[in-house]
Structures are given as structure tokens and as C-alpha cells.
Amino acid sequence: MITEIASSELPAGDAALLDALNGAYAAALDSQNWQGWIDLFTPDCSYAVYSLENVDAGLPLGYMIDDRHERLVDRVKFITEVWATTIEAYRTRHGIPRVATTRDADGTYRVRANVLVGYTESNGTPGMLVCGYYDDVVRMTADGPRFVRRTVYLDGTPARYLAYPL
Amino acid sequence: MITEIASSELPAGDAALLDALNGAYAAALDSQNWQGWIDLFTPDCSYAVYSLENVDAGLPLGYMIDDRHERLVDRVKFITEVWATTIEAYRTRHGIPRVATTRDADGTYRVRANVLVGYTESNGTPGMLVCGYYDDVVRMTADGPRFVRRTVYLDGTPARYLAYPL
Amino acid sequence: MITEIASSELPAGDAALLDALNGAYAAALDSQNWQGWIDLFTPDCSYAVYSLENVDAGLPLGYMIDDRHERLVDRVKFITEVWATTIEAYRTRHGIPRVATTRDADGTYRVRANVLVGYTESNGTPGMLVCGYYDDVVRMTADGPRFVRRTVYLDGTPARYLAYPL
């Protein structure tokens, strides 16, 4: 349950690692370090961005649906090569507070984190790009925690078109 | 004192529990899980929302003043039954970074946390609903940490009328 | 590297202290407790605020460049005495999620944290003042962690002129 304070059962070291994973995720995206972003997912990962409006209406549409690792690589190729000269660039700054954590029998973590993303275009004034939450499956690997599945649910419509992952 | 880094004396497990409490609080409100919200307060609790403008002027007015547990139940009844067809609904997303923590002699915690709430209406673009801070008294119970008192101080005027607790 | 989840090697107590330092920093600034702000820096500190636009262009201009401790004291004197009657006041509320942490051989920490600052003027509605990140050098002292160097990089242009440090 969302309101269960499951972190009480979290080993403290694992809680710190889960927070560090979200920190590294924010740092990678906000630095436009795309390979660093990919490196935070497992080889068998999936990544998707949906609006809650569509989810509530039972519609399968998503802003981004990367059902396997290769599609993350494709996404980065699009950003850095295909769209490179056409994207209207913007900077992002992620705040990702973890709000619920449970551990499965196999040691995998199910994590929910809110997300508020500030953004700026053309060195203008900042605004709110999106609000929403992450619903994640995280595996502890020899290299640290990694996303097996990261799904983003957006509260409404982004303030501008999304060129970069969230 | 606010600038005292009192967390240095916090047992690490308690710090994690206090953060998990704010996480559960955010998750409950942002999911509109109202019973989950109520469950995070003790039976002898109080909850209130004031503007700093009124506080600074010495005025006792508040946006919400729930001086005992039954009023939280009433508040939920209003949201889900009385106002149900008239509220212009909106989604919220809370960021609640803990900024100061002290422990009283009886083991109760006094906690201060900033709050920035993003919101969206009618699947529109996101904005900032309120900024402010929580001034809390938290008791460690057998079920985990619970709010004995949660008081919200708002920096200015909410971006729209408040239908839901913060 | 930014995407390295270096916190895995952080002693848990130090991680909590670094987060408490950012908490105390937010609480001091957002309460306009200027002496409390100064007290979080070492005697040999520096503090500066730059826009990423200037940094990317190789320009040395900054919003604030306090190259030694005395300049922080001067800054506070300007706010509280020189500008006191002319500043158009505003309230701030900082969210400072830590995103990367490494420890140097001498025990000093290099810390990166995102920053999203909400603000309100004249008891109006809230907005986003700045987005950006902190690049910090933190020393563990007998009084707790303190900033040896705090540099703020802003994503774009602040929503209004900056009267107070960030």
C-alpha cells in the first residue's frame, strides 16, 4: 500500500543506494549525459512515459514506449543525430523524492518517486515542465542498483514538447 | 535553532522513518487516498494551514484548522461527498524536503520540512500550487511515525482555491 | 563521473550530515536568517552564482562572486542595511536534492545537488525563481559539515532580480 511506511524495513544501505540511483538519474539527464542515462538501466529493461489522462481512460498511448534496451539506444541516437539540428533545446532540472518502497521476495525493489521537473528554454526564465511520478522496478546488481523498469506517469500535459527522456 | 544541523544526533533509522513518513504523506495526498492521509495522524492530532501573511500580521485566520482527529474525517467527507460534484478537480505532486529535526526529551520529534506542490488542472500544463513549509510534531508509534501536529505555513496565495489538504 | 553512484561508498552517517547541511542551508535562507547562512561556510570559503549561459560561452561574469568569507558578511550587510528600504522583498523556498557525491583523499566531499527555488512576492501566487545546481566542496568540521566552496549554476534567467543569495 502506498501509505505503508515500508522504508522502516529497508536496510539503510539499500535506501541510500535507491536515493543515489535517482540522484544519478537526475544528474545524467540534466547534464544531457545520455550514455550515463542508458547505463542506469539493466540489459532487460523497459522505459515508458504515459499521461495519467490516458491511463485513466484505458488508452494505451504513451509519450515514449521503449520496450527494450535497444530502444533507449535508439532514443539517444535520435536526440544526438537525427533530431540534432531541429530540436529546440531546453535545460531540465529534476527533483525526484522517493515516496514509497517495497522489497519483493527475490530482493528486487518496487519504488515510487514523485517527479517535478523545472526547465528553461533559450536562457529564459524557468518554469515547470512536468509533474508526475515514477513507478519503478529496481534490481541490485554488482555495479549498483539499476532500473529493470521505469515508468513515468504525467499529471497533465508537458509545458512544451518533450525532446528528451524524463 | 534552524541552522543547527541537529540531524547529526538523529539515529539513522529514525531519520529514514521521518523521511518515509513525508513520502507516505505525499503519496497518499497525490493519489487522493484520503483514508491513507488520515491514517498518518495520531488519534490526538491537529492539522492546520495558515498563510505567513496572516501569521506575520498576528491574525488567527487559516485556510484549514482541524483541531482534532474528527475534523480530518469531516474534511474527507466534504471532499468525497459534500463537494464531490462541485469541486473543480486537480492533481497535486508534493516535494517535501526535510530541513531541520530536533528530538524532545520524551522521544517526540519536532520536524521542519519545506514543501513545493506542483499541480495540474483538466489535464493542462503544470504549475506551482503553493510553496511553504511544514512545522510538525511526530511521535514514534508501534505502527511507525505519525503526526501529532502538522501545521502548514504558506508563502503567499495558492495558485487556485484549495479543495484538498496539503 | 556524474552517473557513478558514489554514495554506495559513503558512510551512512556522512550522507545524513550532507543532507542535513543542505536542509539547514535551505532553512536559513528561506527564513532570511542571514547569520545562519554565513555560519554554514568555513572561514576560508568562497560562494558564487553563475549562469550556465555565461559558463558555456566562457564568460567570467557572475550574479554573485564572494571570493572570501568577508564578502558574505558584506552581502548580508547590503541586504539588511544598505538595500533595506529599496529591495522589493520576496519569500523563497528551496528544494535541494543531492545528486552526486564523491570523497577526496583528504576526507573533503565534492557534492552536487540540484536546486529548484519557488518564490512569492507581495503575498501573490507562487512561481519558480530559478532552476540549476550546486557544485560544492564540503569539509567535515568539529561543528559539523561546512561549505568550503559553494558554486551555483543557473539554468537560465531568474524570474526576477536576485536580492538574496541562493
Side-chain angles (χ1 to χ4, degrees), chain A residues 76-150:
Chain A
V76 167
K77 193 180 182 73
F78 264 85
I79 293 169
T80 55
E81 299 181 23
V82 179
W83 299 338
T85 57
T86 58
I87 287 178
E88 293 163 293
Y90 56 98
R91 296 184 200 274
T92 59
R93 211 54 65 181
H94 285 66
I96 311 180
R98 188 163 50 91
V99 300
T101 314
T102 51
R103 187 160 59 161
D104 288 342
D106 66 356
T108 300
Y109 281 101
R110 181 78 179 269
V111 183
R112 181 171 171 149
N114 278 357
V115 58
L116 291 88
V117 183
Y119 82 114
T120 52
E121 296 180 304
S122 305
N123 298 305
T125 53
M128 187 92 79
L129 180 63
V130 297
C131 297
Y133 69 94
Y134 292 111
D135 180 15
D136 300 321
V137 176
V138 176
R139 187 185 299 150
M140 295 300 183
T141 77
D143 297 322
R146 293 289 183 272
F147 294 108
V148 178
R149 196 190 75 203
R150 165 149 269 196

Side-chain angles (χ1 to χ4, degrees), chain C residues 11-25:
Chain C
D14 281 6
L17 284 170
L18 293 172
D19 288 338
L21 176 63
N22 277 325
Y25 189 94

Side-chain angles (χ1 to χ4, degrees), chain B residues 46-94:
Chain B
S46 65
Y47 170 76
V49 182
Y50 298 100
S51 76
L52 283 171
E53 182 183 11
N54 280 346
V55 171
D56 290 349
L59 298 174
L61 290 174
Y63 284 101
M64 308 182 201
I65 303 179
D66 297 346
D67 60 354
R68 56 183 187 275
H69 195 270
E70 289 78 1
R71 294 208 196 277
L72 276 73
V73 178
D74 285 352
R75 179 167 304 285
V76 167
K77 193 181 183 74
F78 265 85
I79 293 170
T80 55
E81 299 180 24
V82 180
W83 299 338
T85 57
T86 57
I87 288 177
E88 293 162 295
Y90 56 98
R91 296 184 199 274
T92 59
R93 209 57 63 180
H94 285 65

